């Protein structure tokens, strides 16, 4: 048994876990398949009446791997199982927010945050806000939350809200998906760690957590072994969903990362890009 398998088996015995597969590469269907959910281009929640709407085409969202919108994608079933597990756990905890992190960059945190968020927004009684808390100048191979997943170019976001440069309501975006709002990261920062751990962040988290009671808030965080930012976030967001990438995250990385995450509630582990059944 590989080191990762051992570490993972141990973690899995302690926390609920789910596998997410990588769909096989195939041509993107250019025309929406009959029976597919259409992507509504309107806001449904009157509370978001001031929210900017930036609709993205159906095909683009599929290319950007927002598979939760497409029922014929096999991974959609796994995302739905993950959704049930996470919602059950949150209900037990009486919580409506959690963060997603992993040991290293590129293991699928943003993919999971967005697909899970979109899937939760499809539940009848839930609205979702996904917050990009990756505020540092990104590595070259980093996929940007707003630009690469939602194809929206934005200049302002969480970083600007925390610095008092824009109001939260002006930074929120509805990407044309029913009941889903996103808060992009905004201007890159050198002092992201300080801002994420600041009283401004604490107030913002309290505000967005309490404003709408049926809203689930997902914080897409950076990697635990890459910088101290996720730890700043755990001061205010205690529930953590942890992503492990099959064949990439090592057992040592997993152990190190879990050891560093103290004073948190681990709500589950995701084995991402899994090829085993
Ligand atoms: N299960 C999956 N199936 C297919 N593609 C995936 C899957 N998980 C992640 N990816 C793709 O892998 C790439 C990296 O994923 P992602 O951006 O979510 O990683 P990350 O952990 O957020 O990285 P970073 O630490 O740089 O923010 C993206 O192109 C994403 O679409
Ligand atoms: Mg990311």
């Amino acid at each position: 048994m590989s080191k990762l398998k051992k570490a993972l088996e141990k973690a899995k015995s302690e926390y609920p876990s789910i596998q997410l597969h990588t769909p096989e590469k195939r041509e993107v269907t250019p025309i929406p398949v009959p029976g597919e959910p259409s992507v509504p281009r309107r806001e449904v929640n009157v509370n978001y009446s001031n929210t900017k709407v930036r609709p993205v085409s159906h095909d683009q969202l599929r290319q950007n791997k927002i598979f939760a919108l497409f029922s014929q994608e096999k991974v959609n079933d796994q995302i739905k199982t993950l959704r049930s597990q996470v919602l059950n756990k949150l209900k037990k905890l009486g919580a409506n927010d959690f963060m997603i992190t992993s040991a290293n960059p590129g293991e699928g945190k943003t993919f999971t945050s967005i697909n899970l968020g979109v899937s939760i927004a499809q539940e009848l009684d839930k609205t979702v806000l996904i917050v990009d808390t990756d505020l540092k100048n990104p590595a070259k191979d980093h996929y940007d939350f707003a630009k690469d997943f939602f194809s929206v170019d934005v200049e302002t976001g969480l970083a600007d809200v925390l610095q008092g440069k824009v109001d939260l309501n002006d930074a929120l975006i509805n990407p044309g998906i029913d009941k889903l709002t996103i808060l992009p990261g905004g201007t890159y920062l050198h002092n992201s760690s300080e801002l994420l751990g600041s009283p401004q962040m604490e107030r913002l988290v309290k505000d967005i957590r309490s404003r709408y009671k049926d809203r689930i808030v997902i914080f897409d965080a950076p990697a635990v072994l890459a910088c101290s930012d996720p730890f700043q976030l755990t001061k205010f967001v205690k529930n953590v969903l942890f992503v492990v990438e099959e064949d990439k995250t090592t057992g040592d990385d997993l152990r190190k990362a879990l050891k560093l995450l103290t004073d948190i509630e681990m709500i589950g582990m995701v084995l991402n890009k899994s090829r085993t059944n």
Side-chain angles (χ1 to χ4, degrees):
M1 202 189 254
S2 73
K3 270 183 158 185
L4 170 65
K5 282 258 160 63
K6 264 194 211 150
L8 198 57
E9 285 308 318
K10 184 170 179 292
K12 274 161 78 176
S13 65
E14 289 173 38
Y15 315 114
S17 68
I18 178 81
Q19 286 172 233
L20 287 185
H21 287 105
T22 299
E24 278 144 35
K25 280 222 158 40
R26 58 190 165 87
E27 286 299 301
V28 167
T29 322
I31 306 159
V33 178
E36 279 289 1
S38 62
V39 184
R41 281 154 183 73
R42 64 191 169 85
E43 287 171 86
V44 290
N45 193 330
V46 284
N47 291 322
Y48 298 151
S49 56
N50 293 326
T51 306
K52 277 178 263 176
V53 184
R54 299 278 173 88
V56 187
S57 82
H58 207 248
D59 290 342
Q60 190 60 57
L61 289 169
R62 189 178 225 150
Q63 267 177 40
N64 296 356
K65 300 192 189 171
I66 308 201
F67 296 133
L69 286 167
F70 304 95
S71 53
Q72 84 261 45
E73 293 290 352
K74 230 174 124 194
V75 71
N76 202 343
D77 285 337
Q78 294 154 358
I79 295 166
K80 283 185 187 166
T81 307
L82 177 62
R83 171 180 75 185
S84 305
Q85 289 182 340
V86 167
L87 289 178
N88 285 342
K89 184 76 192 180
L90 290 178
K91 198 168 174 191
K92 271 190 203 144
L93 293 170
N96 65 347
D97 67 312
F98 63 99
M99 65 182 253
I100 297 190
T101 188
S102 74
N104 303 300
E107 292 170 326
K109 297 173 288 295
T110 305
F111 172 91
T112 307
S113 300
I114 291 173
N115 277 289
L116 183 55
V118 168
S119 190
I120 295 174
Q122 288 165 359
E123 294 259 306
L124 285 181
D125 58 345
K126 296 272 184 286
T127 61
V128 176
L129 168 64
I130 314 175
V131 182
D132 178 13
T133 66
D134 212 336
L135 308 181
K136 280 195 190 310
N137 209 347
K140 270 206 186 89
D141 53 357
H142 170 79
Y143 287 82
D144 185 72
F145 173 90
K147 193 162 180 279
D148 295 317
F149 286 90
F150 291 105
S151 297
V152 290
D153 260 318
V154 281
E155 271 145 31
T156 56
L158 175 63
D160 309 275
V161 175
L162 292 176
Q163 293 174 103
K165 291 179 181 166
V166 291
D167 283 344
L168 173 62
N169 286 337
D170 294 331
L172 295 173
I173 292 175
N174 174 311
I177 297 171
D178 253 4
K179 305 200 275 122
L180 179 80
T181 305
I182 58 172
L183 177 58
T187 314
Y188 297 130
L189 294 173
H190 296 299
N191 61 339
S192 53
S193 179
E194 287 76 6
L195 264 182
L196 285 173
S198 68
Q200 296 93 293
M201 183 66 186
E202 184 172 18
R203 272 197 299 277
L204 185 92
V205 171
K206 278 192 184 148
D207 180 29
I208 57 183
R209 186 189 277 152
S210 61
R211 218 190 277 189
Y212 309 110
K213 78 175 184 1
D214 294 326
R215 182 158 74 181
I216 300 290
V217 187
I218 302 174
F219 295 89
D220 174 22
V224 169
L225 301 181
C227 61
S228 62
D229 294 18
F231 306 109
Q232 297 295 337
L233 201 58
T234 59
K235 279 162 62 178
F236 315 125
V237 182
K238 296 289 176 196
N239 303 317
V240 174
L241 181 68
F242 195 89
V243 177
V244 170
E245 181 178 339
E246 192 169 280
D247 296 332
K248 186 175 167 199
T249 317
T250 66
D252 275 353
D253 288 347
L254 178 58
R255 264 191 298 273
K256 264 188 226 156
L258 293 181
K259 224 172 168 179
L260 287 170
L261 285 169
T262 52
D263 191 25
I264 55 124
E265 176 76 40
M266 186 63 81
I267 63 167
M269 307 274 301
V270 176
L271 179 59
N272 191 28
K273 301 191 193 174
S274 172
R275 284 184 178 79
T276 46
N277 285 309

